[in-house]
Amino acid sequence: DTEVTQTPKHLVMGMTNKKSLKCEQHMGHRAMYWYKQKAKKPPELMFVYSYEKLSINESVPSRFSPECPNSSLLNLHLHALQPEDSALYLCASSQVGGGWEQYFGPGTRLTVT
Amino acid sequence: QKEVEQNSGPLSVPEGAIASLNCTYSDRGSQSFFWYRQYSGKSPELIMFIYSNGDKEDGRFTAQLNKASQYVSLLIRDSQPSDSATYLCAVKGNQGGKLIFGQGTELSVKP
């Protein structure tokens, strides 16, 4: 059983839609991450929140907007996406400090039509 | 030069053999090293992490770290068909929790 959950599992959206991806962790971690993964490629970091504050933004286009309402929740708001944004979106969490071991959720498979 | 390099494979081993997966990294100051297993269509699963030079064993898995050679490896003993997956090597960067991933090695264990 994963202690990082993501909803929805699958999402199909048009280029004019607005949608949100949700992530919740029950591990007591204080760092949370959003990654994007294309087929046959490693995960690509998008955003990092540490103690509910945005600490890393990897120059992600503004059509992706992260939000961390509290230490257990992480959202990714999507607006005016392009077909090339279709990918597996992964959430992860870790402790802050120590080894920073990251644990991934099951991901949301996003298709932009 | 890529920061974390892995052989892309595919690496094919017979059932019961030892699978050896290798990874090199460029930042000599790196302190934390991770191996993730990813089945097709699934998310990465953390299977090993290592911080000190030497070997770390967990069941059929052994992680080996040599900081002088900037080399980390994963050995899988008694390989099973269920071990067939892509194995991602990751190194913690110097920005908070940022991980630098290798391209992954695809492992195929043949019955």
Side-chain angles (χ1 to χ4, degrees), chain B residues 2-106:
Chain B
K2 290 183 183 174
E3 295 181 68
V4 178
E5 294 204 41
Q6 295 180 252
N7 291 332
S8 60
L11 173 65
S12 183
V13 301
E15 184 174 356
I18 296 175
S20 178
L21 304 156
N22 304 316
C23 174
T24 58
Y25 59 95
S26 59
D27 184 353
R28 188 169 287 278
S30 298
Q31 297 293 322
S32 304
F33 307 87
F34 308 91
W35 283 99
Y36 287 86
R37 176 177 64 197
Q38 187 170 25
Y39 292 114
S40 181
K42 301 295 186 182
S43 64
E45 175 191 4
L46 180 63
I47 55 171
M48 290 290 283
F49 52 88
I50 186 167
Y51 309 134
S52 304
N53 275 331
D55 294 359
K56 179 182 178 182
E57 188 174 317
D58 184 1
R60 296 186 295 112
F61 299 101
T62 299
Q64 299 176 315
L65 176 61
N66 183 324
K67 289 186 179 179
S69 300
Q70 295 175 243
Y71 175 94
V72 59
S73 64
L74 179 70
L75 301 178
I76 306 175
R77 289 182 301 282
D78 189 23
S79 295
Q80 301 297 309
S82 58
D83 295 325
S84 298
T86 295
Y87 289 80
L88 294 159
C89 172
V91 177
K92 182 184 166 310
N94 54 17
Q95 265 187 293
K98 181 174 179 175
L99 292 181
I100 313 298
F101 283 92
Q103 291 299 304
T105 297
E106 186 182 345

Side-chain angles (χ1 to χ4, degrees), chain A residues 30-47:
Chain A
R30 299 305 299 273
M32 296 186 77
Y33 309 77
W34 279 117
Y35 288 86
K36 172 183 176 180
Q37 188 177 27
K38 294 280 222 179
K40 304 284 189 189
K41 295 290 187 183
E44 179 184 338
L45 184 65
M46 301 174 72
F47 303 103

